[in-house]
Amino acid sequence: MVSTKDLVVTHDRPLAAVFRQISGGAFPPVVESFERGKTIFFPGDPAERVYVLIKGAVKLSRVYEAGEEITVALLRENSVFGVLSLITGHRSDRFYHAVAFTPVELLSVPIEQVEKALKDDPELSMVMLRGLSSRILQTEMMIETLAHRDMGSRLVSFLLILCRDFGIPGAEGITIDLKLSHQAIAEAIGSTRVTVTRLLGDLRQEKMISIHKKKITVHNPVALSQQFT
């Protein structure tokens, strides 16, 4: 299974370092911070910069005409986003709504400089392709999660995605390396805070998970998957 951890140029060079080199002295990269819930860009905004996530997590969602907002991806540190224009080959407006899922720190570079760097460095092109492939896989998993009508199944599927992309193995299981509020989880799976609180409480009683300082530990992801999905 592809992991977002693959999104690095070498084992010791995160994308942020590479993007700083891309910018050079003439156009220094911009570093921005966003509080949880703040919008980074809206659908329809001009796609002028490419972003690298330095700290935190970013939620990408698609807003439909009926007003429904569907989460399509959760990005972790060292992910790149805002690259649709690079894929289509022509300047286009933003397609997704990008929101800080946790407090985040971003680095951004003008899209023209990224285009030039991709032409000059085939290795960087492959790195970007691997990262986008991982995100496509996660998007497919998110769509499958939201297809569940039962909120308990949605929640479990979402927790398993977080284990895959944000999980840290330990003696007690896999700890999701995000401080998650019940409201943030509810927004991601199209539920309510009250429902998420109740469902998480059920999972804790059944000793499937534990929560410490807003970090969720899944004790046995395989058992959780087999029992609830």
Side-chain angles (χ1 to χ4, degrees):
M1 182 176 289
V2 181
S3 168
T4 49
K5 294 179 180 178
D6 293 334
L7 194 57
V8 292
V9 174
T10 66
H11 293 297
D12 57 354
R13 291 181 65 206
L15 272 177
V18 176
F19 271 56
R20 286 188 174 97
Q21 291 179 344
I22 289 174
S23 297
F27 299 95
V30 175
V31 177
E32 302 175 78
S33 297
F34 293 84
E35 297 178 359
R36 193 196 85 76
K38 296 297 183 181
T39 291
I40 299 164
F41 55 74
F42 288 100
D45 284 353
E48 298 174 342
R49 304 184 75 86
V50 174
Y51 296 88
V52 177
L53 181 54
I54 300 174
K55 293 180 181 178
V58 167
K59 180 179 75 171
L60 297 183
S61 60
R62 187 84 175 99
V63 183
Y64 293 90
E65 291 182 0
E68 186 179 15
E69 187 166 357
I70 302 298
T71 300
V72 298
L74 277 178
L75 309 180
R76 61 162 294 149
E77 296 174 5
N78 206 36
S79 296
V80 62
F81 64 103
V83 297
L84 185 60
S85 292
L86 298 176
I87 299 171
T88 60
H90 59 82
R91 184 58 56 86
S92 60
D93 294 334
R94 299 297 188 195
F95 186 71
Y96 294 117
H97 184 199
V99 176
F101 192 67
T102 66
V104 302
E105 185 175 320
L106 305 170
L107 181 148
S108 68
V109 179
I111 196 166
E112 294 84 0
Q113 291 178 269
V114 179
E115 288 175 335
K116 182 178 184 303
L118 290 173
K119 292 176 182 178
D120 295 342
D121 188 350
E123 182 186 5
L124 180 58
S125 299
M126 290 304 299
V127 167
M128 296 275 280
L129 181 60
R130 287 197 299 271
L132 291 172
S133 297
S134 178
R135 200 174 87 194
I136 290 170
L137 175 60
Q138 192 198 67
T139 295
E140 291 176 348
M141 295 170 68
M142 286 297 301
I143 292 172
E144 182 179 346
T145 292
L146 294 172
H148 292 298
R149 294 184 180 180
D150 173 63
M151 282 300 169
S153 296
R154 280 195 189 188
L155 175 61
V156 166
S157 294
F158 183 62
L159 292 177
L160 294 173
I161 291 173
L162 294 180
C163 284
R164 168 190 176 267
D165 289 334
F166 297 87
I168 298 178
E172 300 297 322
I174 296 181
T175 298
I176 298 167
D177 192 23
L178 290 172
K179 290 185 177 180
L180 295 166
S181 70
H182 293 186
Q183 182 62 36
I185 296 173
E187 291 170 0
I189 65 172
S191 184
T192 66
R193 182 187 59 79
V194 173
T195 298
V196 166
T197 298
R198 175 178 58 80
L199 293 171
L200 288 174
D202 292 343
L203 292 176
R204 293 176 76 174
Q205 282 190 330
E206 293 163 5
K207 301 192 183 302
M208 287 288 176
I209 68 170
S210 58
I211 303 175
H212 180 65
K213 294 183 178 179
K214 292 188 176 182
K215 287 193 176 184
I216 299 173
T217 296
V218 177
H219 298 303
N220 189 331
V222 174
L224 185 64
S225 174
Q226 291 174 345
Q227 185 168 350
F228 290 94
T229 62

